Amino acid sequence: MAVHLLTPTHLHHPSSTPIPRRRASASASATASLTHPLRLHPHPRLRLATASPPRTGPRRSMSAIRSSLIDPDGGALVNLVAPPERRAALRAEAEALPRVRLAPVDVEWAHVLAEGWASPLRGFMREHEYLQCLHFNSLRLPSGGFANMSLPIVLAVDDADKDRIGAAPDVALAGPDGELLAVLRSVEIYPHNKEERIARTWGTTAPGLPYVDEAIAPAGNWLIGGDLEVLQPIKYNDGLDHYRLSPQQLRDEFDKRGADAVFAFQLRNPVHNGHALLMNDTRRRLLEMGFKNPILLLHPLGGFTKADDVPLPVRMEQHSKVLEDGVLDPETTIVSIFPSPMHYAGPTEVQWHAKARINAGANFYIVGRDPAGMGHPTEKRDLYNPDHGKKVLSMAPGLEKLNILPFKVAAYDTVAKKMAFFEPSRSQDFLFISGTKMRTFAKTGENPPDGFMCPGGWKVLVDYYNSLQTEGATAPAAATV
């Protein structure tokens, strides 16, 4: 299977000779020079045969890191897509089964499951998996260990669906347009206690949570779990499918490029020069530690987002301009779409974002202020403590093998006239430009300070907001009664 290039073809020039894998050491001097020391965990294959001392705190350290891709959760990457030779028989089987129609967000979760982002999960959660996730943020493995799993990946059905399924052991899943997508086997139906799910996932039941309003409130009062088998790879036919690489395709691309470390950056916003600063600085730090070819996985979220977020096609065009303008190096950057929906569930959700990147082969994860957070829906404050996300990642069960990279805060340096790491000693020289302020600039046509974002990327945003205003001006007036 051919691997799609993850950057524009004219920017991507892979070396004909892969860089050999090496073992890199994190010297004491290099580690000491970091403003935020990395949390380093040994790869499972490096563990000695002798018993390890009991863990007494949230952190463990080591003198060397295995310079290759880490194993997926559970030891093997899950692939729930039927092979081509089986698809005709599977479709015929699905035609004869009771059918459940999926909402668009359910299709996104089926995509996540099918490609192994949620490994070792093999389908929509049955009740025992749902309860482990909801109460422990993890799943117990057959080996006795744990895999992190902080968000419920569940499928809701209503009373009519439940009655139609009856005692059938298997059901067919269809997309919003009725097209058959998958078979769910050995199903289990159990109550969907929405209030408990919302309270435990978000820590609040306040009205106005975007994912709750979109995907949970209108959903049925039952959950159906089972083993998933997908008829064929899920595509969206939106011109971006070549960016949607599976964990296995990403691992193949990392191998092709000879990566000896992979550091992932999760985002759902346009990339400004502050983001680029921390990504480039992370690569510098990894090189100082002894890695020879660290590769950045720039991994924008591609599923459901709230209404005022910049749409995925616009973000992808903007990211492409960032590479074209040389703000990030196309040779050491892979841009790919992460198909998960967004919950805005703060420290609970950031664990999911980190865990999924383990399955794609990343052994470093960049985390900053208030990851996966949002403003409180009814009060003028952050919904979560901005520092809790990175603290939770340093302690979360099942993420021990992932190295967490906290980054310093970047802001616009009015003296140097560029994005720079914030220096408290001269705080008066720094200007903080929030995502909200950035969008306001783009909407009103006001330019941000020079050096905030590359010109090509900024033009993409301005053109998008201009198009919205044009559409609003030409839209027909609403009928009155």
Side-chain angles (χ1 to χ4, degrees), residues 390-456:
K390 62 186 177 184
K391 290 180 179 179
V392 164
L393 284 186
S394 73
M395 301 181 286
L399 298 183
E400 293 84 0
K401 60 186 176 182
L402 185 67
N403 302 299
I404 305 303
L405 299 167
F407 64 76
K408 296 176 287 184
V409 174
Y412 187 77
D413 187 332
T414 58
V415 175
K417 298 190 182 305
K418 65 178 183 179
M419 296 296 288
F421 290 125
F422 177 69
E423 298 178 29
S425 62
R426 55 185 192 94
S427 58
Q428 71 280 359
D429 295 333
F430 286 86
L431 175 65
F432 287 90
I433 302 175
S434 66
T436 300
K437 184 177 289 187
M438 176 186 68
R439 290 190 292 270
T440 300
F441 282 155
K443 290 175 184 177
T444 61
E446 181 181 354
N447 288 324
D450 288 343
F452 173 73
M453 184 183 291
C454 67

Side-chain angles (χ1 to χ4, degrees), residues 265 278 365-371 386-387 389-390 405-408:
F265 186 61
L278 68 93
Y365 185 80
I366 300 174
V367 61
R369 180 188 181 277
D370 199 20
D387 292 328
K390 62 186 177 184
L405 299 167
F407 64 76
K408 296 176 287 184

